[in-house]
Amino acid sequence: MTFSKTLKSALFGLAVLGLTAPAMADQLSDIKAAGKIVTATDMHYAPFDMLNNGTYEGMTKDLFDGVSKEIGVEPVYQDIPWTAELAGLEVKKFDIVIAPVTITPERLERYAFSLPIADATVALVRAASNTEMNKPEDIKGKTVGVQQGTAQFKQLQAFGKELGDVTIKEYGTTDEAYADLAAGRLDAVAGSLPNLTYLVKNRPETFAMFEKATFGQPTYFGWVMRKDDDSASFVKAVNDALLKMTDDGRIKEIQEKWLGTYTELPREVPTK
């Protein structure tokens, strides 16, 4: 065989390979082709995620309904225990975790986050009848509940170690912690500021905020996606939608509906 024929054969083989090689994976393209975004959240985290007579509602749903509409697909909402959500995301059981997840430097190393969707600064709530605790330092010598596996748990743990003599009790859901607080089995519950503000607003006869409620560093909630090249276009689409909803006032309207107030959020993902 001549060199010319050999070269032609080689080029033809490469062309065939090029025609038959699979296209680069792209999560956004796959989502649009499927016509849906499959999500995961814990539907027991008011005011973000709630089940009302079996119907999913809350601030997260209103926000993500808007994002899905901007992307041009339908959202599929799944109620998944918090402890199974990030692991399920990694093995591609769903496209995105829309449970409010505190953005931390450690999580940013492993996952891609959306822009902040809400304030997540850790705060404390007490029984309305307990007027002895007014500032965070008053939990010294007390028992405090918190949802397990959360950034709020880590901050409470660090604060408790700093104070000394703080007993921390972990719960699978915040609802379980609130029930024990109402029953007198806890002295306080730690959680994100918007969650506790909503709790006190709706049940003032049972719960009250500490007069100085927050402690630790200011933090934010975001949604979690996979951190890989395939997902980059999807992450951008979600963030573009959130920015559009911020600029046209929809996010302000949703915040005021569920939180009673509006907090201006960063237009970039915090890295600290």
Side-chain angles (χ1 to χ4, degrees), residues 9-22:
S9 298
L11 291 173
F12 177 76
L14 289 172
V16 170
L17 287 173
L19 289 172
T20 58

Side-chain angles (χ1 to χ4, degrees), residues 124-127 133 139 143-146 181 186-190 210:
L124 290 161
V125 67
R126 58 176 172 80
M133 295 190 299
I139 65 172
T143 301
V144 183
V146 67
L181 179 59
L186 293 173
D187 298 298
V189 169
F210 281 44

Side-chain angles (χ1 to χ4, degrees), residues 123-135 178 181-182 187-190 196-213:
L124 290 161
V125 67
R126 58 176 172 80
S129 59
N130 183 353
T131 59
E132 296 180 359
M133 295 190 299
N134 295 301
K135 58 185 185 298
Y178 300 154
L181 179 59
D187 298 298
V189 169
L196 299 185
T197 300
Y198 179 85
L199 174 71
V200 171
K201 175 186 173 184
N202 286 276
R203 300 177 64 183
E205 73 288 349
T206 306
F207 302 108
M209 300 292 289
F210 281 44
E211 289 181 13
K212 182 184 181 302

Side-chain angles (χ1 to χ4, degrees), residues 117-180:
I117 60 159
D119 187 353
T121 304
V122 65
L124 290 161
V125 67
R126 58 176 172 80
S129 59
N130 183 353
T131 59
E132 296 180 359
M133 295 190 299
N134 295 301
K135 58 185 185 298
E137 290 76 14
D138 291 340
I139 65 172
K140 183 179 176 68
K142 307 295 184 180
T143 301
V144 183
V146 67
Q147 186 177 16
Q148 65 186 14
T150 62
Q152 286 72 34
F153 164 72
K154 289 186 177 180
Q155 291 193 56
L156 175 63
Q157 193 176 44
F159 187 58
K161 186 176 181 180
E162 179 185 323
L163 291 177
D165 193 26
V166 176
T167 301
I168 299 174
K169 188 172 181 181
E170 300 176 61
Y171 290 84
T173 69
T174 54
D175 287 345
E176 294 169 339
Y178 300 154
D180 271 6

Side-chain angles (χ1 to χ4, degrees), residues 30 65 98 105 111 125 140 150 173 187 190 203 231 235 246 266:
D30 292 343
D65 278 351
I98 59 169
Y111 305 103
V125 67
K140 183 179 176 68
T150 62
T173 69
D187 298 298
R203 300 177 64 183
S231 302
V235 175
T246 297

